[in-house]
């Protein structure tokens, strides 16, 4: 790494001019400061970067873009030759405008089991789902659509905050009344936050487990993804904690089942989603499923 700039010098005949000497000294000082600032960023160390700078490092240096995490069950709609794209009964686009064999991503809604309005914070709706929305971690915010609720005042597209594994809230100034019919909550895919992005990069880049795929290699990677914040790798205790918390079963037709213990399953749904969409690199000869 270059730590010192190549300084600029005056011609000797100008060395007696204090203004020119001061100008060149200032230029060299500022240039050295720029170099020091760039070096202090430690760009290749992705675990220290955040936001747009993390995207620049991940995509530009390592070739790993920030992953998308599906929410619910995603399906492709539209893109058939000479037709509209439909999501449910809603048509999108015009004839012959969608690329052939491509389409929009539609998300099947997750059933809502309760929905209540309260006057707190200027009006807040609290909802509960029967199952954890895939890829949405506690504390995250995401754009989602509420449909099928009566009164209809609850329906619409809102910025939701995931307050628990099966609970969410969103702002609604006007009280729609008591929900008599419960509908669904659905969304498109969402971008991973910095923490998940860094864990993904560590999964794909970490060399400490070797390059030979085996049960221990897989268990260590799963354990590291689930437990080590921001992808900062740390030694896994021996006897291997991963061996006790992560189970791997090989079935017929190269089917592999990864079983995750209850103590480390906070990010298990995200792990499953990223394995299913191919973000986390694994041998293509096998099919993987995650149980938690």
């Amino acid at each position: 790494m270059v730590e010192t700039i190549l300084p600029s010098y005056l011609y000797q005949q100008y060395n007696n001019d204090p203004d020119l000497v001061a100008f060149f000294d200032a230029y060299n000082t500022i240039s050295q400061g720029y170099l020091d600032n760039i070096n202090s960023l430690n760009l290749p160390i992705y675990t220290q970067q955040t936001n747009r700078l993390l995207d620049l490092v991940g995509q530009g240096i390592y070739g790993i873009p920030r992953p998308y995490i599906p929410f619910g069950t995603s399906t492709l709609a539209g893109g058939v030759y000479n037709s509209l794209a439909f999501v449910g009964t809603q048509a999108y686009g015009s004839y012959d405008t969608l690329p052939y064999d491509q389409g929009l991503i539609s998300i099947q809604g997750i059933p809502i089991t309760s929905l209540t309005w309260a006057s707190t914070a200027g009006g807040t709706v609290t909802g509960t789902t029967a199952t954890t929305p895939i890829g949405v971690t506690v504390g995250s915010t995401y754009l989602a659509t509420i449909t099928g609720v009566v009164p209809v005042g609850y329906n619409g597209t809102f910025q939701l905050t995931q307050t628990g594994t099966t609970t969410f809230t969103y702002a609604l100034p006007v009280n729609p009344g008591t929900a008599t019919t419960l509908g669904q909550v659905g969304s498109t895919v969402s971008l991973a936050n910095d923490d998940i992005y860094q864990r993904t990069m560590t999964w794909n880049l970490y060399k400490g487990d070797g390059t030979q795929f085996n049960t221990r290699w897989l268990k260590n990677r799963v354990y590291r993804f689930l437990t080590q914040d921001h992808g900062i790798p740390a030694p896994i205790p021996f006897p291997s904690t991963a061996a006790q918390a992560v189970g791997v079963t090989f079935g017929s037709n190269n089917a592999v089942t990864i079983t995750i213990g209850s103590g480390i399953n906070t990010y298990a749904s995200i792990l499953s989603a990223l394995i299913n969409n191919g973000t986390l690199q694994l041998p293509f000869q096998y099919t993987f499923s995650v149980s938690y």
Side-chain angles (χ1 to χ4, degrees):
M1 181 173 65
V2 178
E3 297 181 350
T4 305
I5 64 166
L6 183 64
S8 297
Y9 295 97
L10 273 169
Y11 288 114
Q12 289 185 350
Q13 59 265 39
Y14 299 115
N15 283 339
N16 293 327
D17 188 325
D19 293 331
L20 287 177
V21 171
F23 175 82
F24 273 72
D25 287 344
Y27 174 83
N28 290 331
T29 299
I30 293 173
S31 297
Q32 183 64 47
Y34 285 147
L35 179 61
D36 291 341
N37 287 336
I38 291 175
N39 287 340
S40 67
L41 292 175
N42 291 318
L43 284 177
I45 307 177
Y46 59 85
T47 55
Q48 297 181 6
Q49 313 307 331
T50 58
N51 300 322
R52 295 292 181 86
L53 190 56
L54 176 59
D55 288 281
L56 174 67
V57 172
Q59 177 74 64
I61 296 180
Y62 296 105
I64 302 175
R66 187 181 294 264
Y68 285 91
I69 304 173
F71 173 89
T73 304
S74 59
T75 57
L76 284 176
V80 180
Y81 178 70
N82 200 35
S83 70
L84 293 168
F86 285 88
V87 177
T89 58
Q90 178 65 49
Y92 292 88
S94 303
Y95 286 108
D96 295 328
T97 60
L98 287 175
Y100 179 66
D101 201 27
Q102 296 183 31
L104 304 174
I105 295 180
S106 165
I107 302 301
Q108 298 174 2
I110 296 175
I112 298 172
T113 56
S114 68
L115 207 60
T116 57
W117 184 92
S119 59
T120 56
T124 303
V125 176
T126 300
T128 304
T129 57
T131 58
T132 305
I134 295 176
V136 179
T137 56
V138 175
S140 63
T141 58
Y142 52 97
L143 196 64
T145 302
I146 308 295
T147 58
V149 181
V150 178
V152 295
Y154 285 102
N155 298 325
T157 300
F158 306 95
Q159 188 76 18
L160 269 60
T161 299
Q162 196 72 16
T163 56
T165 55
T166 59
T167 57
F168 61 86
T169 61
Y170 62 92
L172 190 64
V174 179
N175 183 4
T178 302
T180 57
T181 301
L182 298 173
Q184 298 178 327
V185 54
S187 178
T188 60
V189 293
S190 61
L191 274 174
N193 60 25
D194 287 353
D195 184 16
I196 299 302
Y197 188 13
Q198 290 160 327
R199 294 181 193 224
T200 299
M201 293 177 68
T202 296
W203 176 294
N204 291 337
L205 299 172
Y206 187 73
K207 305 301 182 185
D209 297 326
T211 57
Q212 184 67 43
F213 174 74
N214 53 44
T215 301
R216 182 172 181 178
W217 181 96
L218 180 58
K219 285 186 175 184
N220 285 353
R221 254 172 169 67
V222 170
Y223 182 83
R224 191 176 293 112
F225 181 92
L226 295 174
T227 63
Q228 297 181 357
D229 295 341
H230 297 283
I232 301 174
I236 298 176
F238 185 83
S240 176
T241 303
Q244 302 171 15
V246 180
V248 173
T249 304
F250 289 84
S252 59
N253 298 320
N254 288 341
V256 180
T257 302
I258 302 170
T259 305
I260 300 171
S262 59
I264 61 169
N265 65 356
T266 303
Y267 295 99
S269 60
I270 296 178
L271 173 72
S272 177
L274 294 181
I275 288 177
N276 290 337
N277 67 15
T279 298
L280 300 179
Q281 296 175 0
L282 286 166
F284 67 88
Q285 297 92 336
Y286 298 88
T287 56
F288 296 86
S289 61
V290 179
S291 174
Y292 54 95

